[in-house]
Amino acid sequence: MSVYISSEELRELIRTGEKLTLLAALWDARAGQARSTFHAAHIPTAQFCDMSVHLVGTPTAQVGRNPLPSLERLSETFGFWGIAEDRPVIVYDTGHGVFAARVWWTLRWAGVKNVRILDGGFAAWEALGFDTVAGPGPVNVHSELVAQRGQAPTIDDVHDYKGLLIDARQPNRYRGIKERLDKKAGHIPGARNLPVQDLFDADGMVKPSDEILGLFAQLGVTHTTDPSSAVVYSGSGNHSAKLLAAAVHAGLPMLTHYIGGWSQWAADVTNPVSREI
């Protein structure tokens, strides 16, 4: 099943009363602004997903800027949203798709199998003139789905890793030319750069699968690649989640995801850094 779903497909599912869980993944540094944005306008039946509360843990230098939440918090959130094994989950955001992709990956990591992302997000929905609604969103029946701990490498695992490392950040951050978020500029030694924006068009829509497969093939990643033989990272797990979503959408395996990313690696002054300046 493809990862990305079109606005037309989603509207038809909503129109026909298909049972699904629709999440609006929003983030804003200003307190309460993300919820206000959701209340002002969202896709019918959507529930509010506060990225700063529901799906990330407490950031520190030791774990990175956007660590995974505890399984207990995830299970509570699943119950609140009414996520169930027999009900598909569809996620969108109001930006460039990185938050929706992070939700997609986190839910998949925690054992939720049927998760998709709205291609182009809220902007694509609005561009087609489809209906939006205001208010707090629906009240759902509580579910009892328990989050399961998936596989994700630690920073120690990455230290010892000898396989392919893929850095999903912009080239200027990868090369060490510019860094405004983390303590040091550059990339993990040996990493190859595949900027996630290369997998999407100017409107934020996922590119055709053959184009995505071609870009990954240049790194040696194909349908037969062992997922443990390639590790993907970004600054703190958001852009790398979007890269993984595009890869799986194109038919590639779910590669290994180093969530701590550059924010965790660069916070330790003893870690080696490579630059291309």
Side-chain angles (χ1 to χ4, degrees):
M1 181 180 66
S2 61
V3 172
Y4 285 88
I5 182 173
S6 70
S7 293
E8 293 89 344
E9 291 176 278
L10 175 57
R11 184 179 68 161
E12 184 62 15
L13 291 176
I14 295 171
R15 187 190 69 80
T16 58
E18 185 75 18
K19 291 183 177 180
L20 58 87
T21 300
L22 179 61
L23 301 176
L26 306 181
W27 180 87
D28 197 298
R30 298 165 294 179
Q33 186 57 47
R35 184 176 293 276
S36 296
T37 299
F38 175 81
H39 283 195
H42 56 266
I43 296 174
T45 76
Q47 299 183 73
F48 175 53
C49 168
D50 188 337
M51 292 298 299
S52 65
V53 174
H54 292 132
L55 292 177
V56 296
T58 302
T60 67
Q62 288 70 41
V63 296
R65 281 187 279 110
N66 290 300
L68 287 165
S70 67
L71 291 180
E72 291 77 15
R73 181 189 294 181
L74 271 179
S75 296
E76 291 174 2
T77 300
F78 289 179
F80 176 75
W81 286 333
I83 291 179
E85 291 183 357
D86 61 348
R87 177 175 295 195
V89 179
I90 299 174
V91 193
Y92 74 90
D93 64 30
T94 56
H96 301 292
V98 293
F99 297 130
R102 177 60 182 261
V103 176
W104 169 83
W105 184 86
T106 303
L107 266 58
R108 289 285 304 269
W109 172 84
V112 183
K113 297 180 175 60
N114 191 353
V115 190
R116 303 182 73 185
I117 301 170
L118 179 62
D119 197 10
F122 191 62
W125 180 274
E126 283 198 306
L128 291 170
F130 293 166
D131 290 342
T132 62
V133 296
V139 176
N140 284 295
V141 176
H142 191 278
S143 70
E144 301 295 335
L145 187 65
V146 176
Q148 306 295 319
R149 185 178 301 279
Q151 297 294 319
T154 66
I155 191 170
D156 291 332
D157 294 328
V158 177
H159 270 293
D160 299 333
Y161 187 68
K162 304 302 182 184
L164 173 65
L165 279 172
I166 301 174
D167 188 319
R169 296 175 301 158
Q170 296 175 340
N172 58 353
R173 294 188 67 199
Y174 168 82
R175 294 177 61 191
I177 297 172
K178 180 180 180 181
E179 182 56 67
R180 60 184 179 82
L181 295 174
D182 297 311
K183 292 185 176 181
K184 291 188 287 188
H187 59 268
I188 300 174
R192 305 277 298 278
N193 189 209
L194 177 52
V196 68
Q197 64 263 31
D198 289 358
L199 309 181
F200 295 81
D201 66 21
D203 294 321
M205 311 288 280
V206 66
K207 286 185 176 179
S209 293
D210 59 344
E211 294 186 33
I212 294 172
L213 293 173
L215 290 170
F216 275 97
Q218 293 176 23
L219 301 178
V221 177
T222 69
H223 296 90
T224 61
T225 295
D226 181 345
S228 66
S229 68
V231 171
V232 178
Y233 75 93
S234 58
S236 59
N238 292 340
H239 289 79
S240 42
K242 187 178 177 183
L243 183 141
L244 289 168
V248 175
H249 179 79
L252 292 172
M254 177 77 86
L255 304 178
T256 304
H257 194 191
Y258 172 38
I259 280 284
W262 183 248
S263 64
Q264 184 184 32
W265 185 272
D268 186 341
V269 297
T270 67
N271 283 334
V273 172
S274 290
R275 299 184 180 93
E276 297 178 8
I277 301 176

